[in-house]
Amino acid sequence: MIKLLKGNYALVEGAIKAGIDAYFGYPITPQNEITEYMSIRMREEGKLFFQTESELASINMTFGAAVIGKMAMTSSSSPGISLMQEGISYLIGCELPCVIVNVQRGGPGLGNISGSQGDYFQAVKGGGHGDCKMICLLPASVQEMYEMAIKAFYLAFKYRNPVFILTDGIIGQMLEKVDLLSLEDVLKNQFKNLSVDDYKKMFDASSWALTGCEGRDSRFIRSLYMNEGELTKKNTLLLEKYKKMEQELDWEEELISDAEVVLVAYGISSRINKDACILARKSGLKVGCFRLKTAFPFPSNRLKEIARTRKILVVEMSMGQMLEDVKLAVDGVNTVDFYGISGGDLPEVNVILEKIKNMLSR
Amino acid sequence: MIKLLKGNYALVEGAIKAGIDAYFGYPITPQNEITEYMSIRMREEGKLFFQTESELASINMTFGAAVIGKMAMTSSSSPGISLMQEGISYLIGCELPCVIVNVQRGGPGLGNISGSQGDYFQAVKGGGHGDCKMICLLPASVQEMYEMAIKAFYLAFKYRNPVFILTDGIIGQMLEKVDLLSLEDVLKNQFKNLSVDDYKKMFDASSWALTGCEGRDSRFIRSLYMNEGELTKKNTLLLEKYKKMEQELDWEEELISDAEVVLVAYGISSRINKDACILARKSGLKVGCFRLKTAFPFPSNRLKEIARTRKILVVEMSMGQMLEDVKLAVDGVNTVDFYGISGGDLPEVNVILEKIKNMLSR
Amino acid sequence: MSSNRINFKEDFCKSCGLCIKHCPFGVLEFSTSFNAFGNHYVKQVDGKDCKGCGRCYIVCPDCAIEVLHD
Amino acid sequence: MSSNRINFKEDFCKSCGLCIKHCPFGVLEFSTSFNAFGNHYVKQVDGKDCKGCGRCYIVCPDCAIEVLHD
Amino acid sequence: MRKHIVISGYGGQGIMLAGGILCQAASIERKNSTFFPSYGAEVRGGAAKCQVIISDEYIGSPILKDIDIFVCFTSMALKKYSSYVKENGIVLFNSDMVSNDETNVLSKNIKKIFVSANTLADSIGNVLFANVVILGAFIKNINILQKTSVISAIKEAFASKKKQVLDFNLLAFEKGYNL
Amino acid sequence: MRKHIVISGYGGQGIMLAGGILCQAASIERKNSTFFPSYGAEVRGGAAKCQVIISDEYIGSPILKDIDIFVCFTSMALKKYSSYVKENGIVLFNSDMVSNDETNVLSKNIKKIFVSANTLADSIGNVLFANVVILGAFIKNINILQKTSVISAIKEAFASKKKQVLDFNLLAFEKGYNL
Amino acid sequence: MFVLPKSLKPVKNHYCPGCGHGIVHRLFAEIVDELGIREKMIAIAPVGCAVFGYFYWDFDTLEAAHGRPPAVATAIKRLMPEKVVVTYQGDGDLIAIGGNECLHAANRGENITIFFLNNTCYGMTGGQMAPTTIPGQKTTTTAQGRTSLDGNPIKVCELISSIDYVTYVARTSLHSPENILETKRAMKKAIQNQIDNKGFSLVEILSMCPTSWKMEPYDAMKYIENVVSKEFKLGVYKDRK
Amino acid sequence: MFVLPKSLKPVKNHYCPGCGHGIVHRLFAEIVDELGIREKMIAIAPVGCAVFGYFYWDFDTLEAAHGRPPAVATAIKRLMPEKVVVTYQGDGDLIAIGGNECLHAANRGENITIFFLNNTCYGMTGGQMAPTTIPGQKTTTTAQGRTSLDGNPIKVCELISSIDYVTYVARTSLHSPENILETKRAMKKAIQNQIDNKGFSLVEILSMCPTSWKMEPYDAMKYIENVVSKEFKLGVYKDRK
Ligand SMILES: Cc1ncc(C[n+]2csc(CCOP(=O)(O)OP(=O)(O)O)c2C)c(N)n1
Ligand SMILES: Cc1ncc(C[n+]2csc(CCOP(=O)(O)OP(=O)(O)O)c2C)c(N)n1
Ligand code: SF4
Ligand code: SF4
Ligand code: SF4
Ligand code: SF4
Ligand code: SF4
Ligand code: SF4
Ligand SMILES: [Mg+2]
Ligand SMILES: [Mg+2]
């Protein structure tokens, strides 16, 4: 079913298609459409919509839902996500699945309510204490807001870990065509080979969730490991899990083969890159586009490979955050150029073209 | 005056020597000695000690004190610092000075109460939303807990930005000799050339603080910039400020010149490195030590230089966080080896020696 | 003529109508023309006398009315 | 002999003394020897009769005492 | 074909609604269309702006520059965006809010259309209909969307409201269209 | 000279206090000394442990292995750390808490000292003095610190307490020393 | 003479037509003028529609994180007891996200003043349900009207006045000129208490949000009179001598 | 017969000698046994000395972030109304950092049960001042005794019972066998209320912390009788029919 929807609405439709049990949210622009639309759709579906008293309540209620094995989601925007950092660390420490959405706005502080990409570090490196990692999905269209919501729940339960959807106010609020595909079709797009049955089976939490100890021994879920060496052992297992998550790597590339310069970005910036790429090609410049669909795991190998013979320009709505991961990936095999704009304004195609020309003439 | 003190106590003495006006804290192990000792010392000094109702209150009260130009400090440990991330982002967005101390413990979640280095990313990359940067000081001894507290206040006011002291439960709780030097002597150690007078002058906040508008126009302090382009302009200024902070770079190196392997670490790990280094040298291995005293700014140039002709082993009590900054610095000119232990246990000298031998035989 | 002068800050007026509703003496009405922000600002009804009670000032959320007792 | 049997879990006892203080019949006292945790655990005074009132059980924070009515 | 439309004014003037209707109308005509709002939902009364791109090709992201059609509700909007309007572009003015003189900043090759939208809206009963009045004038004067599809889009937009509200808006649209 | 001392038992047994006193005594003798606690301040009743390093040289960090002197308050502590005690190291036991048999896990070259610390402490009035009793035995048997400096350190540790408390502790120390 | 107070900058505000914030802003400025404390003022703007308070008040003002003004005010007042420290907060700010900071400041009896504007919704973010939303009220997150499953209205005055250490608590309204003047008297008293070192004062002001309520401004006033003030009873809840 | 309840694992606990936590743990388990709800239980341990509750209770238990158990409980109960959801919290957890979550759960009238152990200090972190510390009480952060500058004791029962939507609020104590049995009755009622879908119940239990109070266990009981229960009056504060 093709519809014209805002990104935030499409995300809601995706979560519902996935089978979400509970949503917890506190209003904040530019993600209010999620909370508002959830308040309507979840009630229609007979699921739990809950407007919380704060983001602390949001993340800890999400924790509560996750503990009992429910499919839970919370969403917010930058300042609200900062408030969730302790809770996120607990979710990771307790190995609980859930989906967390950050519709990024301008920062630091109250900042503004435009789209921005200033929270990459927080999402990808760990804004919470301890060694925290979450699979981080990066939608770049209203369609992907829908599909990645569906994907996120599966991965959360697969790894018993929160999955983070990092998007921004522009993707969240823009109105664009979306095909509200069947679960089957989404799975085809988003997974190599996953049946609807296998998708649904993943949400069986009976082996670990707390649901009352009827017919089994009592269980507990915790993140405190006080005995000597106990936490180190636990964290070694977490590290192994993080390693396994790397198989969920996803990206998209266009016009790379003959490119001399490759534009790298995620989310809304990647669309600007594409605009620039089209223009550049029209004027005969050999430019390609690389778009990340996951930030953790990060496509390090592929980027290094590309960089061996091509120059890289990272375009980001921040002072240079994902940039560092790109540089780490490229590992010195080539220089990495950067065009960043921090504060809720968009990168400009003209500036990108200018930069490309400079790079090519160097 | 030489005394046997816990690191946490020494930090308090340093803050008081600096002239701190207000301390805000909520109990959490392993930093309770700070809060407890502050409750005694601040009252003795006639300054404001305030036990808050939560870490949210701590950071926002610190914000309040900073807004009126007072020298304020708050401290906590990992989970509590996670709760402060929104407030930290506000302090940075509003360009307010203060000192924030994280006596790191094991994570994620409740983790444990041993010393750990799992919050490097949060402190250095920005656990708060938006492009947040703070000068981050890394004490490695009780003596430095004292001296860096004094240094931190100055830098906070110099840049009107929070300064972060990243330490851990071991440094915080160990008992060791400390020389409670005069301000003059500390300034000699910690700054190239700074007189006590110039030190004290830095805390004059009359040009910006909110103190009632007597004799001047009314002022306001904010972090919301809604007009088009306004926040981008603001953030450009912040970026320039961050660039200026780079001059505060500080590190220490030992036995580098002839070294074939250089051990890189900060805080308590750097002391283990030193133990290992001494042992290695005894058995004829050419090993040197590089210890970071600031994490932001990061000694990228020097590390790259060192790495050109020496192998690097990063030792860290995490899954590999500072490691990434070292790799970014080294920029592919050499491989970087890693020994990490996450979960509150200490790296072992034997393992370090083993790694060194492997590296040398490669 | 009344001894009370009303000072209208036309551009501040948002046409909320609260002053009109609360004037006990029907002194105020909307203009038919627009101010710079496209609002029908408030003006004094021709020939109506302001009693200077200040209710319009009190309810105006936009400080678009001042009442001066000459 | 009394028909009430007290079941002491010696290693659970932390010598807090609450049971001793609250036994209305002076039935309980500290042993002079230590349990595995170095505490003088509680025992029954030789020859004293337990009335089975359960007060010791009720106040014991360590579940170190059970009282059984045979 | 690719048209870049910017609509700008104050919050509360129905800027977003107008943009959304255009986007929806394009979609009804099976064109690619994307709508990018940029509003002060957290701050009332401030500037509001949206961009609509209608295209046969891939639509990337909004670029403020190179505006084909600029619908200008206030003089502040004019000041902000006039320089971004393309040569041979079109500007629709709410002439109750922007004076003729002010529009002189625009270069000669730009076509200007004046609509006294507030006055017309007023005549229906509320200045708030000004946005739909302007939409009517837009569709009449600029040949990128069919009147019927815009009317359908308006009907969809007010589907959940009282019938009367829809009727007033349809009336407002006709007023603008038949100017 | 570099001595690595580990003291371990349960929280509440005064493990930290004993370690702190040793560290302070070394400091009084102008030796380098560092004390590393690792306790369950957030969890009562759990295991508690501290390490004291006394040295003429630079003191880096605590390394659990290579213990020179191990003061062992409980059998759990024995199980945990016995394997880390160096050849020719020394272990002091609270023999009221650890049975002779259990200590057989230790290799032959390790010297064992048994102190019925609880019993001796009991005789002063409270088992809680066991830590200081053991300190007395430590100083008597192991030749690294002067009795006088340890007594000074004890006095400092209890300076803020009632005089009576200090007196009991000094008595406990003597009991251990004169064993 | 009814003229713009000195402590109010002569600029147009950004509030919606008929919004109560504009009225309370003016009252605040009038009181500051009348008490002659402009140069001692440190005001704290909330995150909410009133976030831009500093564009209007002509005294020192800062913007605190959402919900934290009472914590910020505590620090300022403790460090500068000679200043007059006032927080201005909406219902979302004060009692949703910021409930704990308010509760603790009150229980400590901090010598600060809180102006609490209750408009039964989150105005700034588009009219969602607030803790103070009236049962049955339709908002953008309670399309069918608030039910008790969505939570019940929090009665801030009732709650805070139950605390021993609180000095003054009153609930007033903006629904008529008389009520506006009553509001001003309560606000003034709440500041005077601080000047007199009497401790914690809070004034809850029922205010119109015509936009979120989807009402004409005058109807919004009537709605307060007929509905809101029935749920949230006006009056002085505490006045400790 | 006074024997270890089935719902308590037969292990030694980690609490200090004479600590009230051990008593309340046992009461909780006894009640669960008596009501036959072991298999329906989902308990929430706090961050505080009782964090290891799950090592002792033999029913499903989780560890929530410091102060957040009422939020966690809300989600669980709403999603699984047939379970019995109980939070067990200390004073730091419940009313210092967690005041807002408690307040909102209470005001929503969530059908959950809170056992609130008030020992007038932060036991786990070493005996610092808590919001419930008695005026004059010496703690590690109030060496000279708490003064009102450090804040005043928060009266949770008085505060929470002032909320209309709350069902049952009682304060009991552990200072004698009789009081312990009274505590058990209140706790049982608070759980029975949940089973009967009656809504929010909270039992505040005055408990000994001999370690932080630096008292012998029996003296700690006497201290509750003579001092703590004078500041925090025992009784049923609310019992809505
Ligand atoms: C941490 C955080 N959460 C959420 C928001 C979004 N937000 C801004 S204002 C507001 C509530 C406004 O309601 P209220 O306090 O009642 O003020 P009003 O606008 O109604 O006057 C919210 C939730 C934010 N800015 N920061
Ligand atoms: C966010 C956070 N802040 C602080 C702490 C440290 N902390 C652990 S328990 C505790 C308070 C314990 O007091 P209380 O809740 O009264 O429980 P008690 O130990 O007295 O039973 C604190 C502050 C923490 N673990 N997490
Ligand atoms: S002052 Fe009174 S009489 Fe005059 S216009 Fe205003 S409300 Fe009417
Ligand atoms: S009250 Fe003020 S803004 Fe409203 S109509 Fe009257 S003058 Fe205009
Ligand atoms: S049951 Fe009663 S009589 Fe028997 S030992 Fe216990 S307290 Fe004493
Ligand atoms: S109450 Fe229990 S722990 Fe305390 S002395 Fe008696 S048996 Fe031992
Ligand atoms: S949304 Fe409501 S509170 Fe905000 S400015 Fe508009 S009317 Fe006022
Ligand atoms: S510190 Fe206090 S509350 Fe904690 S276990 Fe010990 S006695 Fe109990
Ligand atoms: Mg509001
Ligand atoms: Mg407590």
Side-chain angles (χ1 to χ4, degrees), chain C residues 15-18, chain G residues 17-19 208 210 215-223:
Chain C
S15 284
C16 75
L18 290 177
Chain G
C19 172
M208 301 76 77
M215 286 179 192
E216 290 302 311
Y218 187 72
D219 296 340
M221 282 191 163
K222 288 287 145 200
Y223 181 70

Side-chain angles (χ1 to χ4, degrees), chain C residues 32 34-40, chain E residues 10 13 96-97 118-119 122 127:
Chain C
T32 49
F34 301 107
N35 67 11
F37 299 87
N39 297 316
H40 294 295
Chain E
Y10 293 121
Q13 291 181 315
D96 288 324
M97 304 278 300
N118 281 25
T119 311
D122 237 8
V127 284

Side-chain angles (χ1 to χ4, degrees), chain A residues 18-24 42 46-48 61-74 91 96-99 153 156-157 160-161 202-206 208-211 221, chain H residues 42 72 74-83:
Chain A
I20 182 176
D21 294 305
Y23 168 85
F24 304 93
M42 292 294 272
K47 302 295 180 61
L48 180 62
M61 288 189 186
T62 302
F63 181 98
V67 154
I68 56 173
K70 298 290 182 181
M71 294 170 70
M73 174 189 264
T74 185
L91 281 154
L96 293 174
C98 70
V99 176
F153 277 101
F157 276 74
R160 281 182 55 198
N161 203 68
M202 188 53 79
F203 302 109
D204 176 5
S206 56
W208 57 266
L210 302 190
T211 50
I221 287 182
Chain H
I42 300 183
V72 175
T74 295
I76 296 176
K77 186 71 188 183
R78 293 238 174 177
L79 286 160
M80 290 193 155
E82 70 284 7
K83 306 295 170 195

Side-chain angles (χ1 to χ4, degrees), chain A residues 26-29 32 54-55 76-81 83 105 110, chain B residues 86 90, chain E residues 42, chain G residues 15 19 21 46-51 65-68 88-95 97 116-126 128 130-132 209 212:
Chain A
Y26 182 78
I28 184 167
T29 313
N32 288 316
S54 71
E55 291 86 356
S76 187
S77 178
S78 311
I81 298 287
L83 285 170
R105 55 187 258 176
L110 200 47
Chain B
E86 189 207 23
Y90 271 77
Chain E
E42 283 209 338
Chain G
Y15 298 107
C19 172
H21 277 298
V47 176
C49 282
V51 66
H66 190 34
R68 318 304 171 199
Y88 182 115
Q89 305 181 252
D91 35 5
D93 197 77
L94 182 102
I95 199 64
I97 194 169
F116 161 39
L117 189 137
N118 175 357
N119 59 7
T120 76
C121 66
Y122 295 167
M124 192 195 219
T125 43
Q128 296 84 0
T132 49
C209 180
S212 304

Side-chain angles (χ1 to χ4, degrees), chain E residues 49-113:
Chain E
K49 183 197 77 191
C50 71
Q51 292 170 260
V52 178
I53 300 173
I54 300 175
S55 175
D56 301 326
E57 296 148 56
Y58 166 81
I59 297 174
S61 68
I63 306 137
L64 199 50
K65 299 189 176 156
D66 300 327
I67 301 171
D68 294 300
I69 305 158
F70 177 33
V71 182
C72 178
F73 276 76
T74 63
S75 30
M76 205 211 282
L78 178 62
K79 275 183 209 120
K80 267 193 188 158
Y81 304 116
S82 59
S83 65
Y84 299 147
V85 182
K86 271 188 191 164
E87 290 295 289
N88 301 316
I90 305 172
V91 183
L92 264 101
F93 291 101
N94 179 342
S95 56
D96 288 324
M97 304 278 300
V98 187
S99 74
N100 225 312
D101 297 358
E102 296 174 276
T103 71
N104 290 337
V105 296
L106 291 168
S107 88
K108 291 274 144 60
N109 300 328
I110 291 171
K111 185 177 165 191
K112 303 178 202 173
I113 301 168

Side-chain angles (χ1 to χ4, degrees), chain B residues 224 226-228, chain E residues 43 49 64 81:
Chain B
L224 180 64
M226 283 294 294
N227 291 339
E228 226 169 275
Chain E
V43 183
K49 183 197 77 191
L64 199 50
Y81 304 116

Side-chain angles (χ1 to χ4, degrees), chain B residues 265-281:
Chain B
Y266 74 93
I268 187 68
S269 317
S270 70
R271 294 171 64 133
I272 299 172
N273 275 357
K274 197 162 167 180
D275 281 341
C277 187
I278 291 170
L279 278 175
R281 286 274 169 185

